[in-house]
Amino acid sequence: MKLLVAEDQSMLRDAMCQLLFMEDDVDEIFQANNGKEALKILENQDVDVAILDIEMPQKTGLDVLEWTRAKDLPTKVVIVTTFKRVGYFQRAVKAGVDAYVLKDRSISELMNTIHTVLAGRKEYSPELMDSIMSHENPLSKQEQKVMELIAAGKTSKEIATRLFLSDGTIRNYTTSIFNKLGANNRIEAVKIAQEKDWI
């Protein structure tokens, strides 16, 4: 099989590739140290499985995943990450990632994941599933609407007009949103809600 390993930390990428090369069924490994290089390889080579880090320069692993799906390539995509961020995970699942696993696994476990996705099955790290369960959106439907308008830069008065509510009611909703998100101001609230994919 042909693999692509996209990882911006050279030492980690080299070690990973050397260990993967020792596997019997790995024929070729392409290496990329940023998302843009990964895209170029995927455009020009037939790759069975792309193993992508999330946070890379120029293009992230999620950008590469979304591009791969938009181009309808048959390449299976495995994202490996040190981040347990729910927003990243949800975006990856939405884009149709084949596997999303944490980096603290052995090469034999990674090979098992590669065989799993080649067999047409999905795999997500259990730790990520746990964090999803504990990160349910605390905002009510109305609070989400208010939050989306706050993120769009609307003032309390503009939000009140848009939602046919009083200015005071919007201020109450805003206070409730800040309390639920643990935010001190609008900018913090928007950042938290967007990172967690709650708006």
Side-chain angles (χ1 to χ4, degrees), residues 158-192:
E158 288 170 330
I159 296 170
T161 306
R162 181 78 65 92
L163 299 179
F164 306 104
L165 296 166
S166 72
D167 202 8
T169 302
I170 296 303
R171 281 201 295 272
N172 289 341
Y173 274 130
T174 305
T175 303
S176 171
I177 289 167
F178 289 179
N179 289 337
K180 285 182 178 180
L181 299 186
N184 296 309
N185 54 49
R186 284 171 159 238
I187 292 167
E188 269 183 35
V190 169
K191 190 166 180 265
I192 292 165

Side-chain angles (χ1 to χ4, degrees), residues 51-172:
I51 301 161
L52 310 174
D53 182 28
I54 280 198
E55 295 206 338
M56 293 187 288
Q58 297 182 45
K59 294 275 182 191
T60 68
L62 293 170
D63 294 332
V64 176
L65 162 67
E66 286 163 350
W67 178 90
T68 305
R69 293 297 178 253
K71 293 283 181 188
D72 215 15
L73 297 180
T75 305
K76 299 291 185 185
V77 177
V78 175
I79 283 187
V80 288
T81 181
T82 50
F83 302 99
K84 291 185 190 176
R85 280 171 58 174
V86 176
Y88 282 168
F89 181 48
Q90 288 176 330
R91 185 177 157 195
V93 171
K94 210 178 279 180
V97 74
D98 295 288
Y100 192 109
V101 295
L102 296 173
K103 274 186 187 172
D104 60 358
R105 53 182 33 219
S106 66
I107 286 295
S108 63
E109 285 174 318
L110 182 57
M111 280 307 297
N112 285 340
T113 300
I114 289 168
H115 288 132
T116 296
V117 300
L118 285 172
R121 298 192 302 275
K122 304 270 186 190
E123 186 183 323
Y124 309 129
S125 276
E127 300 95 325
L128 288 157
M129 300 310 290
D130 292 343
S131 61
I132 279 280
M133 301 313 287
S134 61
H135 277 75
E136 289 299 310
N137 190 341
L139 304 178
S140 68
K141 282 215 166 76
Q142 192 71 302
E143 285 168 347
Q144 280 182 59
K145 282 182 193 168
V146 172
M147 190 67 245
E148 281 164 9
L149 292 167
I150 288 173
K154 304 292 180 194
T155 64
S156 289
K157 269 190 179 152
E158 288 170 330
I159 296 170
T161 306
R162 181 78 65 92
L163 299 179
F164 306 104
L165 296 166
S166 72
D167 202 8
T169 302
I170 296 303
R171 281 201 295 272
N172 289 341

Side-chain angles (χ1 to χ4, degrees), residues 11-75:
M11 221 157 81
L12 180 61
R13 188 180 68 248
D14 289 346
M16 212 165 151
C17 291
Q18 279 174 19
L19 291 166
L20 284 168
F21 247 138
M22 292 163 79
E23 298 292 324
D24 294 338
D25 44 0
V26 175
D27 304 311
E28 198 171 354
I29 301 178
F30 302 101
Q31 294 190 43
N33 63 19
N34 61 55
K36 223 172 182 179
E37 280 184 18
L39 290 180
K40 201 172 276 184
I41 290 164
L42 287 166
E43 247 179 334
N44 297 305
Q45 304 289 342
D46 289 329
V47 174
D48 297 303
V49 182
I51 301 161
L52 310 174
D53 182 28
I54 280 198
E55 295 206 338
M56 293 187 288
Q58 297 182 45
K59 294 275 182 191
T60 68
L62 293 170
D63 294 332
V64 176
L65 162 67
E66 286 163 350
W67 178 90
T68 305
R69 293 297 178 253
K71 293 283 181 188
D72 215 15
L73 297 180
T75 305

